[in-house]
Amino acid sequence: MIKFLDLKAINDQYRQELIKAASRVIESGWYLHGENLKEFETQLADYIGTPNAVGVGNGLDALRLIFKAYIELGVMQQGDEIIVPANTYIASILAITDNDLKPVLVEPDINTFNLDIDKIEAHISKRTKAILVVHLYGQVCWSERLEEIANQYKLKIIEDNAQAIGAEFQYKNGDIKLSGNLGDAAGFSFYPGKNLGALGDAGAVTTNDSKLAEVVSALGNYGSIKKYINDFQGLNSRLDEIQAAFLNVKLKFLKQEYEARRTVADFYLANIKNSNIILPKVFDRKNHVWHLFVIRCKVRDKLQEYLLERGVQCLIHYPIPPHKQTAYKELNELSFPITESIHQEVLSLPMSPVLEKEELVKIVDTINEFE
Ligand SMILES: *Cc1c(COP(=O)(O)O)cnc(C)c1O
């Protein structure tokens, strides 16, 4: 069986270093807010290109804390509207509603699965305060037009960078920035299955705004900057020392890993030839780090079953859009035809830096024989 994602094989590549890192933490006697977290925050900020990076408990908290910090800073208030793609993973929406902000869902572009930037303006109202872009499946969602819209309407742009660490955007003048350094603030997830995966939960916020970083950091630690002095009603969301130590090991190999993912994607793109299948579109190779390789097929369920019977495990990201979830009854009546067709047609092929050539050949041959 070719697994969709073999996490054990991925982490086995760094087995010795991970064990050493864990034992150093165990022996240090210091398990939260120590040297490993500091080092990771420094490394991550350096890598992304922002002056600030704050480690937090997970990716959902990273996004929740950004909105909570903007509310504390008076930039937003309860009831304000946040534009967000309708086809995102539910965590993006939860971060908004958890802060009593209102998600305004906008359709994606069917070709990239990312928020359709041309549709944003029609959804801006007096209460719109931010656009939450999601770099879905590992592909940057950005354009110079997006920046113009945000400037014109004085909106913050927040990046959900859970899936796209390492992806780059190139401006017309040639400048290149990494996702996480494009908007006003970005939330990262280091959930084990993400491209930079911890061995448990972890997340981070990056931003060029040092005041925002300070408030996010305080909010994730009971609202306290100085111990036992509480400036805000915060929460407990910390990136612990063991996970930070693992992430310090794995961050060094991130580029090597996303390049291996790009090789897998190139192979799929060049060799999958089946008229039942629509391959993902990429406009610039640098834009995509291939967290997921997502194809479309009208008879998706049949294709998934066919592949599983022949030893190829594929998953669906995601089977039900947020507005159709029981958790969001108030959104259930809304209609987003592009989003709904995506959720019915998408299938994620095995994607990881440790797939072997023979496995790729088998996957492609099996797909090409599907009728
Ligand atoms: C994984 C993910 C999150 C949440 O990250 P966790 O670390 O699981 O809390 C948020 N947004 C997107 C798009 C994700 O894929």
Side-chain angles (χ1 to χ4, degrees), residues 272 274 277 306-307 349 363-370:
I272 294 175
N274 185 321
I277 285 162
Y306 161 94
L307 288 167
L349 304 187
I363 294 165
V364 167
D365 287 349
T366 312
I367 290 175
N368 288 348
E369 283 160 21
F370 176 72

Side-chain angles (χ1 to χ4, degrees), residues 58-60 63 88-89 91-92 134 160 162-163 189-191 194 201-202 318:
N58 55 66
L60 172 58
L63 296 168
T88 185
Y89 179 55
S92 322
V134 182
D160 181 338
Q163 301 190 357
S189 167
F190 310 115
Y191 176 80
K194 297 285 158 74
D201 274 319
Y318 300 90

Side-chain angles (χ1 to χ4, degrees), residues 112-114 134-142 159-169 178-179 182 193-196 258 261-262 265 280-294 317-318 348 351:
T112 61
F113 305 113
N114 273 336
V134 182
H135 306 306
L136 201 67
Y137 307 150
Q139 180 163 226
V140 164
C141 175
W142 202 260
E159 298 171 74
D160 181 338
N161 200 26
Q163 301 190 357
I165 183 169
E168 295 174 351
F169 175 77
L178 261 65
S179 63
L182 292 162
K194 297 285 158 74
N195 284 24
L196 178 60
Y258 72 65
R261 288 173 181 269
R262 281 180 182 160
K281 298 257 183 333
V282 196
F283 298 98
D284 179 346
R285 199 166 179 273
K286 294 192 290 300
N287 287 168
H288 215 317
V289 290
W290 299 103
H291 174 55
L292 298 170
F293 189 96
V294 177
H317 299 91
Y318 300 90
S348 308
M351 171 52 80

Side-chain angles (χ1 to χ4, degrees), residues 63-64 66-67 81-86 88-96 103-104 106 115 120 128-135 141-142 146 155-161 185-187:
L63 296 168
R64 283 169 74 200
I66 291 170
F67 287 114
E81 296 174 4
I82 312 296
I83 287 174
V84 62
T88 185
Y89 179 55
I90 197 162
S92 322
I93 317 273
L94 288 170
I96 297 170
V104 174
V106 176
L115 179 63
I120 291 175
T128 310
K129 287 290 154 58
I131 304 165
L132 176 58
V133 296
V134 182
H135 306 306
C141 175
W142 202 260
L146 174 68
L155 308 178
K156 298 288 181 196
I157 308 181
I158 298 158
E159 298 171 74
D160 181 338
N161 200 26

Side-chain angles (χ1 to χ4, degrees), residues 144 168-177 284 286:
E144 297 187 27
E168 295 174 351
F169 175 77
Q170 182 162 8
Y171 288 84
K172 290 192 191 87
N173 68 6
D175 287 357
I176 290 178
K177 279 191 194 173
D284 179 346
K286 294 192 290 300

Side-chain angles (χ1 to χ4, degrees), residues 230-245:
N230 298 82
D231 302 292
F232 312 104
Q233 296 173 15
L235 10 141
N236 174 357
S237 182
R238 300 183 286 224
L239 202 180
D240 65 72
E241 285 292 292
I242 281 223
Q243 298 307 332

